[in-house]
Amino acid sequence: QVQLQESGPGLVKPSQTLSLTCTVSGGSITTNEYVWSWIRQPPGKGLEWIGYIVYSGSTYYSPSLKSRTSISRDTSKNQFTLQLSSVTPEDTAVYYCASTGTQTNSIATMDSWGQGTQVTVSS
């Protein structure tokens, strides 16, 4: 089973771009065994799927966040990155990276998770 670890700033100012990195160990992000997702949980709310990237580098995003989201990868470091632009306080959440074996936005199918990282949007 792969291991995932999120990293990035814990505080972002409104209107700026949130950028988080997920470092993967125990598996390669370039194999077709896994699909790599970003998920978040705002305070007091449920989990929300943001998007995923697959072994070829193709991406798929939640329609509600698509205009502000970009997921990319660095194959040399076995990492994938989330960028969320024009953030507001409503983007404050715990952000997780996760993996599953199929191209899906179903959070229930994720079988490996990072520990999560708190991101607060505030001036």
Side-chain angles (χ1 to χ4, degrees):
Q1 195 171 20
V2 296
Q3 293 81 47
L4 302 97
Q5 178 67 58
E6 305 90 349
S7 60
L11 180 64
V12 183
K13 288 181 166 45
S15 80
Q16 293 188 341
T17 296
L18 177 162
S19 184
L20 296 174
T21 295
C22 183
T23 301
V24 177
S25 58
S28 172
I29 65 170
T30 59
T31 73
N32 62 3
E33 296 179 58
Y34 306 103
V35 176
W36 311 98
S37 282
W38 284 100
I39 294 162
R40 69 181 183 179
Q41 185 168 30
K45 298 184 179 180
L47 293 165
E48 177 183 24
W49 177 80
I50 299 170
Y52 65 63
I53 187 167
V54 301
Y55 71 97
S56 63
S58 297
T59 54
Y60 188 76
Y61 303 124
S62 168
S64 65
L65 295 170
K66 182 177 181 179
S67 64
R68 299 193 292 128
T69 305
S70 177
I71 298 175
S72 59
R73 62 181 185 165
D74 185 335
T75 58
S76 67
K77 296 181 180 178
N78 215 37
Q79 296 174 333
F80 61 104
T81 298
L82 169 70
Q83 290 192 310
L84 184 67
S85 64
S86 304
V87 297
T88 72
E90 285 67 43
D91 294 308
T92 294
V94 177
Y95 285 76
Y96 299 91
C97 54
S99 69
T100 185
T102 59
Q103 294 191 36
T104 177
N105 61 1
S106 171
I107 294 173
T109 68
M110 303 297 161
D111 47 28
S112 294
W113 291 75
Q115 66 182 23
T117 187
Q118 173 71 46
V119 178
T120 300
V121 179
S122 175
S123 56

